[in-house]
Amino acid sequence: MTKSWLSIPSGSHFSLANIPFGIITHSRFQVPRIAVAVGEHALDVNTFAQKGGFSKCAGLDSSALKVFTEQSLNAFAALGRSHHRTVRNYLRDVFRADTPYPEVLQANEGLKNEALIPLSEVQNHLPLTIGDYTDFFAGRNHAHNVGTLFRGPANALNPNYNHVPVAYHGRASSVVVSGTPLNRPWGQVLPAPGATTPVFKPCAKLDIELELGMFISRGNKLGQPINVDDAEGHIFGYVLMNDWSARDVQQWEYVPLGPFNAKNFGTTISAWVVLADALEPFKTAGLTNEVELQDYLKETKKDNVVDINLEVALITENGDENVISKTSSKNLLWSWPQMVAHHSITGCNLRTGDLLGSGTISGFEAGTQGSILEQTLGGKTPLELKGGEKRSFVNDGDTIRIKGVAGSVDGELVGFGECVGKILAPISRS
Amino acid sequence: MTKSWLSIPSGSHFSLANIPFGIITHSRFQVPRIAVAVGEHALDVNTFAQKGGFSKCAGLDSSALKVFTEQSLNAFAALGRSHHRTVRNYLRDVFRADTPYPEVLQANEGLKNEALIPLSEVQNHLPLTIGDYTDFFAGRNHAHNVGTLFRGPANALNPNYNHVPVAYHGRASSVVVSGTPLNRPWGQVLPAPGATTPVFKPCAKLDIELELGMFISRGNKLGQPINVDDAEGHIFGYVLMNDWSARDVQQWEYVPLGPFNAKNFGTTISAWVVLADALEPFKTAGLTNEVELQDYLKETKKDNVVDINLEVALITENGDENVISKTSSKNLLWSWPQMVAHHSITGCNLRTGDLLGSGTISGFEAGTQGSILEQTLGGKTPLELKGGEKRSFVNDGDTIRIKGVAGSVDGELVGFGECVGKILAPISRS
């Protein structure tokens, strides 16, 4: 375990094996700044860079340093994976108990006071300016669970499922950072099974979708697909994601063009981007695919999903915490490089800051599914919560909190912190 | 008819009743600039503004003038409709034969030489930086034609169609400006009807979709829907659109989340944004809806689609021009304000530069449909072109050219120019 001169509590998601990047403001500065999370502190990287913090960092020239003055991580992401590695390794060295550069921060009281800020004092913002947001459907257990609900187990998966990394284009504008409350949306829904005339009312089946999100570092030119074996070099890092879903709206609207209003009122992501390098030790195989893949989806180097322990809690307005799901992000049929390769195989251009979602991550057993739809069999078997409360879907005042942490390497955790969202009363129609 | 001191050929799309905005470069400047099109010239608005061209324009302060130094129209769009009106009216006055401000441009030889550039010399670029691109399905005749092909006339329209302005989130990154060639995409397709195992090959059913596109000027905050009667104030202007579609890819991939790779390889839009005000005289009623609408879709002021004469030509590699469709953009079930209201009814936030597509615009009769799928009944009755050529779908080397022009007011046309795209050979798989 790599010890730090900075106090990092045992169990912290932000050990020296992590060094995730985010965007913060603070009472001292209202213009967003780049930061990394270490233990219970944020390092204001903007200030750190301007005060010479990177002076001992080999391989980072002054033009590259300018990216740390930006208000989003896009320019840093666009530098490419080798630069991310250089910066992450250097910052880890700066914080090591046996740092080769004590003068940079450990022994620099002025810079420590200015640039190290308790996480409890910072406000997080969206880490990147998102171009396009695409949501995949790679969680085959979820697809199977939901398909079984709607079509029975024999026809649970659609014929294309094991061949195509199915996805849809999502809404980028309403992706919000953890902590942002959302109002329950109104929408057109059918009043009863078999009805043909909709009514307009607040969504009555507000659901969650437990997902992992991935940000693109460098993109590709239009007409030039990314080879599956090159895709890893286009991955910046990962976040937790809750793709809120209005199931009743979705059911009425989704034929034939897919979900639209059912998904566009908000998608919550965690604040700190865990870099691809930090998750390398946790790469593993995803779900086994029985079919012969098309060549463009065949990976030379396999094991390209990541094994992150995920936990979903529903917190009622009185503060009762109910863990409703535990699973792993390895429950995906398609790896991240396969998603990138499929997305771009038509020539579609990905850009720095694009966000790709995994699709809902579920196991099969009770308490391992990533949506309430699955857990309650479509609302029929409500969740039993503390205090005698029951939930078929999410109520007003409920908070959904996702945590994600990768198993320890030498006692150091690589975690995401939390992805939190509270559902408020329906949008006012005054 | 408003005459100009500048020669504007009869039949020009860019009369003084129009004044559309775009983004150009020229051999003299490689950094994109804002321009308007007048007759056969572009006015370099950046230079015009910097050289005092707006000195006689009441109601435009110096901070507003800064928007004309941008490389996209977003900042201008964000100023809001009243500013667009002020600027458009003023520029029209500047170009009138009886201009009250001859000293601004007509008699200013230096500025005329510098800022008035023949359209044949300019290169157009995307007019706005697009945030999200949403494509509606408001062309009911198209939905009916395609539904009839797949399900027969009795079930042509899905049960939700007349109630919900159906839409899907599209791919913003691959929206390209008129004149940009696109390579034929590869994709997974079923080799024959009834097959269950796909093959990977170049798309064999490359189709077009004739659409109108609309850009958002001012957006709304997350959680605060735009009222249908306020929506007009959020509309910046319109462009022609060709939403290229790989029908064989679409057929295999689209269940259950809608089209993805079938659409994400490219969408072509015309270069000049015709402002909402310029199309006010051409507003009319759309298609009649028989169902009782939900309140949020009921408009106080009706007649909110626009009547633009649309024409699609397929130009073969030898230069033969074949007009394959003529129709009007009034063939929509949902008005533009209804689309805006529906999109945001969940609280979804629209942003300046968001692009909304109408969906394919078709009539019922032969030669009025906006897709080749409809015209050839799914490829079964090929189009007969000049020189004995036939087309079931688009061939490599074919160019699709859409023109759009609103009927004349006092002899002045309000047109879009052209929306042109050529399909090149399949993406190289080397």
Side-chain angles (χ1 to χ4, degrees), chain A residues 89-312:
Chain A
N89 287 344
Y90 175 75
L91 288 175
R92 193 163 50 183
D93 284 344
V94 165
F95 280 101
R96 292 164 68 104
D98 57 349
T99 177
Y101 322 117
E103 71 279 20
V104 167
L105 193 63
Q106 181 186 16
N108 186 339
E109 291 300 324
L111 189 53
K112 272 203 291 194
N113 285 335
E114 192 176 352
L116 272 180
I117 308 169
L119 282 177
S120 59
E121 295 180 9
V122 307
Q123 167 134 20
N124 283 103
H125 302 268
L126 271 186
L128 287 97
T129 301
I130 300 168
D132 281 285
Y133 157 43
T134 299
D135 204 13
F136 279 82
F137 191 46
R140 189 174 60 184
N141 301 342
H142 165 77
H144 196 281
N145 291 338
V146 172
T148 301
L149 274 180
F150 294 149
R151 293 180 297 274
N155 300 303
L157 294 180
N158 287 301
N160 58 12
Y161 190 83
N162 289 317
H163 297 276
V164 184
V166 171
Y168 67 97
H169 297 116
R171 180 75 194 177
S173 72
S174 56
V175 176
V176 297
V177 74
S178 178
T180 309
L182 293 168
N183 289 94
R184 178 178 301 270
W186 290 64
Q188 288 192 30
V189 303
L190 287 182
T196 54
T197 302
V199 295
F200 179 65
K201 61 177 220 175
C203 164
K205 295 185 176 179
L206 186 54
D207 199 2
I208 63 169
E209 291 195 339
L210 168 65
E211 302 197 20
L212 207 61
M214 182 271 277
F215 280 105
I216 294 292
S217 55
R218 284 177 158 166
N220 60 305
K221 287 188 181 166
L222 188 67
Q224 298 180 9
I226 297 170
N227 186 290
V228 69
D229 286 331
D230 298 332
E232 192 66 39
H234 295 264
I235 295 176
F236 177 54
Y238 299 84
V239 288
L240 305 173
M241 180 184 293
N242 182 357
D243 185 36
W244 302 93
S245 299
R247 298 293 180 201
D248 41 4
V249 175
Q250 185 173 356
Q251 189 173 8
W252 172 234
E253 76 170 358
Y254 89 104
V255 175
L257 298 181
F260 178 61
N261 273 6
K263 302 274 194 175
N264 72 8
F265 60 95
T267 302
T268 307
I269 63 172
S270 55
W272 298 99
V273 180
V274 177
L275 299 190
D277 269 5
L279 290 173
E280 273 295 326
F282 308 101
K283 275 191 165 179
T284 185
L287 302 174
T288 303
N289 198 338
E290 301 83 5
V291 308
E292 172 76 11
L293 294 183
Q294 301 295 335
D295 284 346
Y296 78 93
L297 293 171
K298 288 179 182 164
E299 299 171 272
T300 304
K301 182 178 165 300
K302 305 205 190 291
D303 299 346
N304 282 321
V305 303
V306 288
D307 183 9
I308 298 159
N309 297 309
L310 301 168
E311 177 195 286
V312 183

Side-chain angles (χ1 to χ4, degrees), chain A residues 163 171 173 264 346 349 354, chain B residues 171 173 188 264 346 349 354:
Chain A
H163 297 276
R171 180 75 194 177
S173 72
N264 72 8
T346 58
N349 54 326
D354 282 352
Chain B
R171 180 76 195 176
S173 72
Q188 288 193 31
N264 73 9
T346 57
N349 52 326
D354 283 351

